Each structure stands twice: as structure tokens, then as C-alpha cells.
Amino acid sequence: MVLKIFFPQCCNMADSGLLVGRWVPGFDSVVVLAVVHYPFIPGQVKKYLSEMQRECQVDLSVLGSWSIPKDGQEGMDSFLNDLSTIFPQGHWLQLSREVGKRGFVCQVIHRGSVQLEGEEEKEGGDDEKDKVIFVHYNQRKVMLSHLHPAHGQEPGEEGVSELCLVFQTVAQCQPLFFLDKYDDGPIKLTHWQSEGREASILVELVKQASVPVCMVLTWLLSLWNQLMSTRVPNMWPLHFLSSKLSTCVQMSYRTEHLQTISSLKRAQQHGHFMRKANIFVSFLVDIALGLLLISWLYRENRVGRLANTLVPVADVSVCRPPSDTLNKHVAKELQELLEWLMGAPAGLKMNRALDQVLGRFFLYHIHLWISYIHLMSPFIEMILWYVGLSACLGLTFALSVVSDIIALLTFHIYCFYVYGARIYCLKIYGLSSLWRLFRGKKWNVLRQRVDSCSYDLDQLFIGTLLFTILLFLLPTTALYYLVFTLLRLGVVLVQGLIHLTVDFINSFPLFAMGLRVFQSYRLAEGVKFKVLCEEPGMSLHLMMEINPLKSSTVVQLYRTPTYSCYPKDSWWALCKKLFVGELIYPWRHKGFKED
Amino acid sequence: MSEEKFTDINGKPISLECRFHSSFCREFVVSAPKVSFRTVMTCTCAVWLSAYAVFFITKNTAVLSSAIVTTLVGMMVHIHLIKIDHERLLIVGSLGVQLSSCFASGRERTTFIEMSSIKDIVINEAIHMQRVIYYLCILLKEPSDPDEVSGVIPLFQSSKPRLNCLIKIYRSCQEILEQS
């Protein structure tokens, strides 16, 4: 069998010593983690290894010896070979390297469990140079990286791949890399951190500060939850309103996020850590964008100008150009539209009486709406000013508030749509039922099918009369229904776009994408091998590099699950509903996704 | 290291290079022909002449600049995303198989499959329209279920060598797979 030795790049030029690492169970490979240098006392090495074994929960052992012959150390080779008796195990590796050459020489000594008469039995000192592969790896990158299993594979007990085990071994042995060359201990090691431990003051400060901050946040959130679970907000009108307003939905969603971030338990698994980090970073970016929006909005009295466009400031009797006031503009446009419908729209001839009735009905509503806006006009600027401050909670809040304002301002369009749809729907049902009567059939409710039925003469007479009336009034109703449905669909489209943007900001994994761009080795899809140029007679040397995850996979894997709104019906179902006149609510909010 | 000339299934010339690094590690590189100068010149001239004709009619200089931008962007997209220069197969006994496609701009797309997931490397036939094509593929297995084939990965998809080239690669790979 071919033996694979995973050798860290940092130990390529290390001084002679003992190799410390792990034999990968189930595969013919060994991972070298560090080199212990002379002088050492074997007893202390054993003690240190058993300590490390307890801390890392990895079965470390002395694998063999490593020698780079230098001047003044000629006896080192034989000394190190004699050490194989002190550290007993199945195989002993003797790696050596000459300073001028690039290749390593490896000798594997297999020791049987039977020892004859105290003499060491060397069974089959294999000297086959071409049966050993050296795989060089960058220890720091492999330690920090997380190997993602291929799609569909669960990291279960059976079927764990060799590379997974190698990555796990290096990642779990972090305590082994804490001793550096400035420590005055009895053991001198070489590994990736032996030149000096890496640390960052900022990271340490943040770690110290995070504990009290998390505790304060948790306490505040518990207060808020208690407030929300009292009777007042759960009474019917408020509860209904808060489930419809997207601002309240967004607020509840953000409190859940904050609860995830401020939990005092450290994230044990990689998945949890990434989730927390993604939520934290997107929260920060959200607030930063919100503050940016505030700083732009509150300059140069833009809030005042916005309020002016939303409300008719001056008297209605004064003739104003339509570009001035948005809401009055909207109401005026609707009035003009209705007057156009009451005339001969697009050359179609409407039923005069029905036209006048419907038109006056809707015009009265618009009149009520305009009066209501007049009442509110002195307060609009103040309300807008305070509501704009809510953007400091995040850009998503500002967008939700905008969506809610649009919903409130176009409430009359929604009402008109409901009226028009109901009238049209009733008309269609009436028509279909009377059509059946016309043909002599009836809808059997018990059997849920159409049956033939014999009607009396007067039933037939009235039925036919009503059918004719409804049929000739159909174009007028249909036209009103069409116009208001189109307006309603336009508003729904705008609201849907805003919700999609909010959803995108909520769920996009910024931290994971940042990792992918700046430290791509941390999210690994797999590995790549490169053959290092070999010298004749030496074993095969491969360089193992980390193959980073594709960006699309990163987004897919690390998306924060959200209450994404997506279309409830397919296009065909939507068209059918529109034709029949059923009320449509095209966006459906998914409930909170559970992991 | 040996380099031989073959043809692909459409008749275009390709070359196969075999490198033997050791008795259990071999590398095969199949190179497609480079982008020919004539094709590039023809495409560029066609685009620019039509742009000039449109400019002559409409007298709008935006047409010319948009033609230049389109040509540049199209060339960059072609060499970075579409044109595969060579495909490599590295097989290391008892470690695994590495497939990589190298694009004309130098970008490499690499996949590594471990030996424990590989069931076998075989030559399959496929019927495409009116002809029968042979392709080399790797059969995958789940380590928990060694008898079932869980996936098929076809190799050399863009260079598409013919059967004689595939047989050479197949024989070499089988020698290594038998050892492990």
C-alpha cells in the first residue's frame, strides 16, 4: 500500500528532531503536526503529548524522526534512530533531507507486535522510495479552513473521507500550536506559530467587551418580549393590524435576530458561527445605510418638501399646477379617470344609468378622501419627521415604513378594487347560473354537478329577462373592474418590489461573501494538488492547496432564512382568478423558517 | 513525457501529452487548438463593417463606440469563460483523481475526487443525433454502499477526443487503479 504523509510546509527547514502527529484511522496516511527539537527528555515529551491528547481529544503520538544533517550534529541520526525503542508503536518513520536537495528520503520501519528475546525485530524494513507520497500543506490555512461536504453528503460516522479527517485533525489540534519559541519550557516545537503567536488587540478587546454587551442586550430583549406578551397588544384590532403592517413584521424579525446574536453561549459549530456573524454584519450595514439616509434626508429641509408634495397645502379652490402636490395629484387623476369612464371611454358606449351610478359612487369616495387629507395636513410634516427618525433602526425599517405609507395612501384604490371586484364577481355568478337556466340545467349542490331541470314558464320568463339585463350591463361593470384591477396590480407590484429589497438586505450573507473575497481559503469546497518537480530516485511530492467554494454556493448555503414573500399562485391560476373576479392577494408571507 | 496528435469527434486536431511522475502517479493533458487568428479577424471585421454601415445611415457616433465596446467585451468573455485551452487529468494511486479545465485566459477550474468515492473509470458510448460517441467517465460510489453507482462524471467534455486517444488514457488509468 502507498503511504501518504501530510507534511506541513513550515517544517521543511526545521532542525532535526522527533515528528509529532496522528495516524489517520482507516486510511494509510499520517498527518505530521509539529517537530520536537533536541534537547528533550523523552519522559517530558510523553507527558506533554498525553496532556495535549486530553486537551485536543485527538490521539497524538510520536511518529518518527526527522533529520537535516548539519555541521556538528553527525551523531544525531543514530541517536534519533535509537529513540524508536523509547516510543513504541506499530510504524516508525525516518524522514531525512539533505540541505542541497529538494526531495525527502523516507524509511518506514514496520514493527510487529512480537519481539523475540528482547531483541528488536525489524520486519521488512521497507526501503521502497516509490511507495511513499509526501503531501505538503499550509498548516495555518488548513487549520482555519472549513471543508464543505459535497452536496447531499452528511458528515456521519461512516463514510468520512480522508481529507475531512486530515482537516479535522489539524483544526482540533489548535492547543498544540500555542507553544512558540519564546516560551521557556522543556519542549521546543516547530509549527506554523513557532515564530511567535498571532494575536490581535482589537479582537481581544472585542471579546472582552462582548460579554457585558450581550448580557445587557439579553435583558433588554426579555423586557421587550414581556411587554409584547401582555394583553394590550394581543387584543384583536392591534394584533390584526400588526400582522398586516410590514413594519411590525420587520421589527419582530429583527428582535429574533438580536436574540440570536446576543445569546451568551459561544457558537460551537461552524454553521452557527457563520449564521451569527452574517446576522451581525448585515445588521451593522443596515444601520449604517439607515444613518446615511437620515443624514441625507434631514439636510436642506427635505422632510418639509416631502410633506408639501404629499398634502395639498393651499386651499382647493385655488388652481394649482398638478406637479405640486402628489396626493392631490393622485386624487385628481382618479377623478379625471372616472369622468372619462363616465363618458365614452375609448369609443365604447356604456350603459348611461349604471355608468352614472357607479361613477358618482366612486367620486363621492374620492371627495371623502380629499377631505380627510385636508384634516390631516397640518400634522403631516411632524409625523413624517418623527417617522423618518425610525430609519436609524436600519434601512429595512425605512423601506418597510415607505411600503406601509404607500399602502395607507392608496387605501382608496384598494377599496375601489374590492367594490369593483365584488360587483363583477356577483355579476359573473349570476350570469353563469342564469345561463344554465336558459339551457334548462341546474347546479346540483348535493352532487356537485350540473343536472337537467324542468322549470315553470314564469321562472323561465323572469330568468331570461334577468339574464338579458345582466348580459347587457356586463361591459360597463367589466370596464370598471378592469381599470381598478390594473391600478391595484400596479400598487401591489411596487409594494412587492420594496419587500423584495428588504428581503434581500435581510438575507444576503455579507460576512460569508467577505470571507470568500478576502480569505478564500476559509471556505473550502475541496483541495487541489500540484506535482512538485521531482528528482530522480526521490518519492513523489505533491502540493495541496485549498479550492475555495464558488460564490453562488456561498450565497445558497449561508443565506439567512427569511419570511420571503413569493407569488402564491402560478400565472394561470392568477389569470383564472382575475377572470372570475375573485379577490387576489398575490404575495404570500412565509412563516418563520425553522432550521 | 510523450506528446501525440489525435483528432476529436468533429475532426479538429488535438494533442495528448502523458506525463509519468512515478509508478502510481500519471498526468494526461489534452489540448485543444488555440483560437485562430483568422476567426478573430473575420468576426471583428464583420462587426465593425456593419457598425460603420449603420453609422453611415444614422450618423450616430454611439453606434461605433458601442461596436468597439461589444467587440472587446465579447472577446474577454470568450477567452475567460468559454474557450477551454486544455484539460488535465491527474491520477494518483490511493489518493484520488483531479480534473481541471484551463481556460484561454489562464483561469483554472479544478475538481478533486477521492479514491474512496471512485468505483471505476470506464469508456461509455452515447448516441447523439445520428452518430455514436465514446467518452471516458468516472463512476462514483458512496463509501457506505460500494455496489451501487451513485454518479457519473464525464471527462474531457470540451476537447472530446476519439476512441484511440481514450483507449490510451483508459489503459494507463486502469493500471493505476488496479494497484490500489
Side-chain angles (χ1 to χ4, degrees):
Chain A
M1 285 304 289
V2 180
L3 177 67
K4 291 158 270 189
I5 303 181
F6 289 85
F7 200 79
Q9 275 182 308
C10 45
C11 296
N12 274 348
M13 296 304 294
D15 288 335
S16 315
L18 285 178
L19 295 169
V20 167
R22 179 193 190 203
W23 286 90
V24 179
F27 298 94
D28 235 2
S29 29
V30 59
V31 181
V32 174
L33 292 168
V35 178
V36 178
H37 296 300
Y38 183 77
F40 54 81
I41 303 174
Q44 282 186 333
V45 171
K46 281 195 202 174
K47 199 169 84 138
Y48 179 68
L49 273 185
S50 55
E51 251 179 54
M52 282 295 125
Q53 221 166 320
R54 255 198 322 271
E55 238 183 277
C56 310
Q57 271 127 36
V58 168
D59 46 348
L60 296 172
S61 55
V62 174
L63 305 168
S65 67
W66 162 251
S67 65
I68 294 188
K70 290 198 176 127
D71 304 330
Q73 288 183 344
E74 285 88 9
M76 184 63 69
D77 261 353
S78 47
F79 166 70
L80 288 171
N81 288 347
D82 294 333
L83 281 175
S84 63
T85 52
I86 307 182
F87 299 100
Q89 61 220 336
H91 306 280
W92 181 259
L93 301 173
Q94 283 176 356
L95 300 183
S96 65
R97 178 189 184 169
E98 282 157 56
V99 183
K101 292 199 183 167
R102 297 180 63 171
F104 297 176
V105 170
C106 174
Q107 223 175 345
V108 182
I109 301 175
H110 300 276
R111 265 178 311 189
S113 47
V114 176
Q115 293 204 344
L116 299 177
E117 291 162 353
E119 188 188 16
E120 209 185 280
E121 181 87 359
K122 284 192 189 159
E123 291 182 10
D126 287 292
D127 203 40
E128 301 159 324
K129 292 193 184 68
D130 53 344
K131 287 297 187 186
V132 172
I133 306 180
F134 285 95
V135 179
H136 296 265
Y137 68 97
N138 185 326
Q139 207 165 41
R140 177 171 176 267
K141 289 191 180 173
V142 169
M143 185 183 86
L144 289 175
S145 142
H146 179 256
L147 194 62
H148 294 86
H151 14 252
Q153 254 179 11
E154 293 295 320
E157 275 312 310
E158 8 38 68
V160 181
S161 69
E162 184 179 5
L163 287 172
C164 259
L165 287 173
V166 169
F167 273 67
Q168 270 172 18
T169 310
V170 182
Q172 277 177 314
C173 290
Q174 284 207 19
L176 186 65
F177 306 132
F178 286 168
L179 269 187
D180 58 16
K181 72 182 185 196
Y182 302 108
D183 275 325
D184 284 327
I187 315 267
K188 294 257 178 286
L189 289 174
T190 299
H191 45 73
W192 70 274
Q193 251 187 2
S194 53
E195 296 295 316
R197 264 185 80 175
E198 279 188 3
S200 157
I201 294 185
L202 277 178
V203 169
E204 297 299 317
L205 280 177
V206 164
K207 276 192 198 163
Q208 294 298 321
S210 66
V211 173
V213 167
C214 279
M215 286 175 61
V216 168
L217 261 182
T218 326
W219 176 73
L220 283 174
L221 281 173
S222 62
L223 277 184
W224 174 258
N225 280 339
Q226 270 177 7
L227 187 68
M228 283 292 120
S229 56
T230 55
R231 277 209 55 154
V232 171
N234 280 339
M235 286 196 309
W236 183 79
L238 278 180
H239 185 65
F240 177 71
L241 262 186
S242 68
S243 66
K244 290 290 173 203
L245 284 180
S246 53
T247 318
C248 301
V249 176
Q250 176 72 9
M251 182 124 61
S252 65
Y253 188 60
R254 276 298 188 212
T255 38
E256 264 220 16
H257 276 176
L258 277 179
Q259 266 177 334
T260 325
I261 303 180
S262 66
S263 76
L264 288 170
K265 264 188 345 183
R266 264 183 81 98
Q268 291 304 327
Q269 277 186 2
H270 173 83
H272 291 164
F273 169 69
M274 291 298 285
R275 169 81 54 84
K276 269 182 149 183
N278 279 328
I279 292 179
F280 184 63
V281 171
S282 74
F283 200 66
L284 280 182
V285 168
D286 196 18
I287 294 188
L289 286 175
L291 290 174
L292 212 69
L293 182 71
I294 286 186
S295 75
W296 174 81
L297 203 62
Y298 284 83
R299 234 184 275 160
E300 296 166 23
N301 197 21
R302 284 213 180 88
V303 183
R305 283 196 276 162
L306 200 64
N308 283 345
T309 57
L310 282 180
V311 165
V313 172
D315 215 350
V316 184
S317 59
V318 176
C319 181
R320 302 187 65 87
S323 63
D324 232 347
T325 57
L326 188 68
N327 201 18
K328 177 135 191 318
H329 183 62
V330 167
K332 218 162 143 11
E333 285 289 303
L334 267 181
Q335 264 177 332
E336 283 174 12
L337 181 71
L338 281 169
E339 264 148 39
W340 180 69
L341 279 179
M342 276 162 58
L348 297 167
K349 197 145 187 277
M350 298 281 108
N351 182 296
R352 190 117 207 115
L354 185 62
D355 221 358
Q356 296 283 332
V357 163
L358 286 176
R360 293 235 177 89
F361 177 63
F362 291 132
L363 274 174
Y364 181 63
H365 268 82
I366 294 180
H367 174 76
L368 280 178
W369 185 255
I370 292 189
S371 338
Y372 166 69
I373 296 288
H374 266 273
L375 271 177
M376 291 273 296
S377 60
F379 306 111
I380 288 282
E381 181 165 349
M382 202 170 64
I383 293 180
L384 266 186
W385 205 90
Y386 284 113
V387 159
L389 278 184
S390 75
C392 73
L393 289 171
L395 185 66
T396 44
F397 267 102
L399 286 175
S400 316
V401 165
V402 165
S403 156
D404 285 336
I405 288 181
I406 291 180
L408 284 176
L409 284 183
T410 56
F411 190 64
H412 49 333
I413 294 182
Y414 175 64
C415 286
F416 290 172
Y417 164 70
V418 172
Y419 298 151
R422 285 273 181 249
I423 297 179
Y424 178 74
C425 182
L426 280 173
K427 181 158 284 196
I428 292 286
Y429 275 127
L431 270 177
S432 57
S433 158
L434 289 173
W435 172 247
R436 279 184 227 121
L437 176 131
F438 206 59
R439 290 159 49 220
K441 301 221 184 283
K442 195 177 85 162
W443 174 252
N444 191 339
V445 181
L446 197 63
R447 296 283 179 98
Q448 294 288 315
R449 65 172 188 203
V450 177
D451 280 337
S452 63
C453 168
S454 58
Y455 291 101
D456 295 336
L457 193 62
D458 42 357
Q459 281 175 331
L460 277 178
F461 179 65
I462 297 193
T464 315
L465 204 65
L466 284 174
F467 175 75
T468 326
I469 294 177
L470 282 180
L471 183 67
F472 288 136
L473 290 181
L474 186 64
T476 318
T477 338
L479 194 71
Y480 273 90
Y481 172 65
L482 184 73
V483 165
F484 292 132
T485 309
L486 286 175
L487 283 175
R488 172 78 187 141
L489 282 180
V491 170
V492 160
L493 200 70
V494 169
Q495 276 195 302
L497 280 175
I498 295 184
H499 283 158
L500 275 176
T501 319
V502 167
D503 195 38
F504 178 73
I505 299 180
N506 273 338
S507 69
F508 190 71
L510 270 177
F511 182 71
M513 277 314 282
L515 266 191
R516 169 69 183 84
V517 169
F518 295 113
Q519 288 188 328
S520 54
Y521 56 83
R522 289 188 68 158
L523 301 170
E525 187 186 34
V527 294
K528 314 194 254 221
F529 289 95
K530 203 168 67 157
V531 179
L532 297 175
C533 59
E534 65 268 19
E535 286 153 16
M538 293 287 177
S539 352
L540 183 67
H541 288 262
L542 295 172
M543 176 74 207
M544 180 170 92
E545 279 159 2
I546 295 186
N547 205 9
L549 213 52
K550 284 200 280 270
S551 307
S552 52
T553 327
V554 169
V555 172
Q556 209 181 346
L557 271 181
Y558 290 111
R559 273 193 77 211
T560 327
T562 63
Y563 59 93
S564 55
C565 47
Y566 59 96
K568 186 158 54 159
D569 308 304
S570 61
W571 287 110
W572 175 240
L574 195 69
C575 286
K576 240 173 54 147
K577 278 195 182 168
L578 281 177
F579 186 69
V580 171
E582 260 181 61
L583 288 177
I584 47 172
Y585 296 101
W587 303 111
R588 174 167 68 165
H589 275 218
K590 261 200 298 211
F592 289 101
K593 230 167 128 167
E594 298 296 331
D595 271 327
Chain B
M1 260 226 262
S2 58
E3 181 154 347
E4 291 174 36
K5 301 252 179 279
F6 290 94
T7 52
D8 74 353
I9 57 175
N10 295 323
K12 297 202 192 72
I14 56 173
S15 74
L16 169 71
E17 190 186 330
C18 306
R19 292 186 200 150
F20 287 179
H21 296 290
S22 92
S23 69
F24 51 86
C25 172
R26 293 185 193 167
E27 193 173 354
F28 305 98
V29 183
V30 176
S31 328
K34 314 270 186 242
V35 183
S36 84
F37 188 63
R38 212 190 309 174
T39 334
V40 171
M41 287 303 294
T42 331
C43 288
T44 320
C45 286
V47 171
W48 283 359
L49 279 176
S50 51
Y52 196 73
V54 173
F55 168 68
F56 195 64
I57 299 174
T58 60
K59 300 272 182 289
N60 189 358
T61 51
V63 175
L64 291 178
S65 33
S66 65
I68 295 177
V69 168
T70 318
T71 327
L72 281 175
V73 168
M75 263 201 280
M76 288 202 293
V77 161
H78 184 76
I79 61 174
H80 195 70
L81 296 174
I82 301 177
K83 174 88 183 103
I84 291 187
D85 192 45
H86 59 266
E87 286 174 303
R88 219 189 273 260
L89 173 75
L90 172 71
I91 175 162
V92 182
S94 85
L95 192 61
V97 173
Q98 171 168 291
L99 321 164
S100 67
S101 317
C102 308
F103 292 84
S105 64
R107 177 169 86 103
E108 272 200 40
R109 186 177 55 194
T110 324
T111 329
F112 178 72
I113 308 165
E114 290 189 54
M115 206 45 107
S116 55
S117 324
I118 296 183
K119 189 157 194 273
D120 205 357
I121 297 185
V122 295
I123 297 185
N124 254 352
E125 335 176 280
I127 300 180
H128 174 69
M129 304 265 249
Q130 81 286 8
R131 52 187 180 175
V132 178
I133 335 178
Y134 297 94
Y135 61 98
L136 196 64
C137 59
I138 300 182
L139 300 177
L140 298 177
K141 66 171 195 246
E142 296 283 327
S144 52
D145 197 3
D147 292 328
E148 291 288 311
V149 175
S150 70
V152 174
I153 300 185
L155 306 175
F156 301 119
Q157 286 206 283
S158 80
S159 17
K160 302 194 196 79
R162 283 197 179 180
L163 192 59
N164 42 9
C165 179
L166 291 179
I167 288 181
K168 254 181 84 87
I169 304 178
Y170 171 78
R171 288 214 177 108
S172 281
C173 290
Q174 286 297 325
E175 278 168 22
I176 295 187
L177 284 181
E178 271 161 12
Q179 289 174 10
S180 54

